[in-house]
Amino acid sequence: LRPYLDLALSIVDDYLGHLAQRAGASTVLAVASDHGMIGVNRLVHFNLALEKAGLLTLTPEGGVDLSRTQAVYFPGNSGYFLLNRVSRAQGVVTPEEEQAVLAKLRAVLSEIRDPETRARLVRRILDPRQDGRELGLGGPQGGDLYVTLAPGYQPSAALRGDLVTKRPPRGDHLLDPERREMHAAFTVSGPGVAAGADLGLIHQVDVAPTLSALLGLEPPAQAVGQVLREALSPRATVATGQGQPA
C-alpha cells in the first residue's frame, strides 16, 4: 500500500501548498488529523466474557437484560466499559456496589486469553478516575474502564459467537491512542506562530485553546486542554502578520 499512501499524501501536500499561497501572510493555517490506523485481523467479543463471569445477562431474545446486568461493553463506543448504575435507566449497580463490580470487571478482563495462542489479550486497563485528565478519558459521556489490546486484536460488542474470532485484515482505530501507529499530525503557521517550533507529542484537546490564543479569543467554554505555549512566538502577535510554521 505504500505507493498509494505516498501518492495520497503528495496530493494533500500539494493542495495545502496552494491553500497556503492563497491564504496570505495574515492567515493562521492549521492542519490536524484525527487519528492513525492499526492493522487488525481478530475480534475480541468482550460481552461473552462478561456473560460467562455473571456480569452480563441476556434476554430470551438474545439482547442485554439491563435488569440483571452489572457491566457491558456497549456497541459504538471507543474501547470502554460501562457500569449499569442505578443513575442510568434500568440500572442496577448502587454506589456502594461500584467498587466491587469494577474489581470483578478488572479481574475478568485481565484473564481474557486467545484460545488458540493462550496469550493474554488485555495489555492495559485504564481507570478514568486516575488516568482520565492526562489521557482525556472519562467524563459524563465517557466510560468507566478502558482497555489496551494486544496488537492485531479489535474490540467487539457482539453477544453471540466465540470469544475470539478471525477476520480479514483491516485498519482500525478504536484502540489505545498512545500507540505510535495511532498518533495523528498537527501543524500550524501564520501570525503569532513560533518559527520552526517542535511541539513534540501533544493532546488533541490542546488544539482548540491554542488556535483561540493565536486568534486573540477566549477558548471554548467546554475546552479542557491547555494552550501550547511552545507554538506561540514570543515576539510576533496576531496583529503583526509575523511567524513561521511550527
Side-chain angles (χ1 to χ4, degrees):
L1 293 177
R2 173 58 62 184
Y4 299 98
L5 293 174
D6 290 341
L7 176 60
L9 289 173
S10 68
I11 293 172
V12 172
D13 186 62
D14 189 52
Y15 173 80
L16 289 173
H18 287 292
L19 187 62
Q21 286 182 337
R22 291 180 176 273
S26 63
T27 301
V28 173
L29 179 62
V31 181
S33 60
D34 185 7
H35 53 72
M37 299 290 282
I38 297 177
V40 295
N41 63 356
R42 282 175 169 81
L43 294 173
V44 183
H45 305 301
F46 280 125
N47 285 326
L48 300 183
L50 301 190
E51 182 188 14
K52 184 177 180 180
L55 289 169
L56 181 147
T57 301
L58 298 180
T59 65
E61 296 75 27
V64 177
D65 184 350
L66 292 176
S67 67
R68 295 187 294 164
T69 290
Q70 294 179 309
V72 62
Y73 183 86
F74 197 73
N77 71 45
S78 297
Y80 60 69
F81 296 80
L82 293 173
L83 294 188
N84 191 23
R85 293 184 172 88
V86 292
S87 59
R88 295 187 166 112
Q90 302 183 55
V92 297
V93 179
T94 66
E96 295 75 22
E97 296 172 322
E98 287 186 12
Q99 292 306 313
V101 175
L102 281 173
K104 185 175 181 179
L105 178 58
R106 279 179 169 273
V108 171
L109 297 177
S110 298
E111 291 302 319
I112 294 179
R113 296 175 181 268
D114 188 320
E116 182 178 318
T117 65
R118 302 305 303 164
R120 292 182 186 271
L121 300 187
V122 176
R123 297 292 178 85
R124 186 182 180 192
I125 300 175
L126 298 170
D127 188 330
R129 294 169 301 177
Q130 281 82 50
D131 312 298
R133 184 167 185 83
E134 176 66 21
L135 299 176
L137 303 176
Q141 314 303 326
D144 296 303
L145 282 184
Y146 294 72
V147 295
T148 296
L149 286 176
Y153 293 86
Q154 177 186 10
S156 165
L159 301 173
R160 298 180 180 84
D162 297 325
L163 178 61
V164 177
T165 58
K166 295 181 179 180
R167 61 161 306 151
R170 59 168 288 174
D172 202 83
H173 63 90
L174 297 181
L175 299 161
D176 186 355
E178 292 193 316
R179 287 171 60 170
R180 182 175 177 82
E181 306 99 310
M182 286 294 297
H183 289 177
F186 175 67
T187 181
V188 59
S189 63
V193 177
D198 183 353
L199 304 180
L201 290 177
I202 68 171
H203 291 123
Q204 288 188 342
V205 292
D206 297 334
V207 172
T210 301
L211 296 182
S212 297
L214 285 169
L215 297 174
L217 304 173
E218 291 294 323
Q222 299 83 7
V224 296
Q226 306 295 321
V227 175
L228 299 169
R229 298 294 174 185
E230 299 85 352
L232 307 183
S233 171
R235 297 176 298 278
T237 66
V238 173
T240 64
Q242 299 173 338
Q244 298 298 322

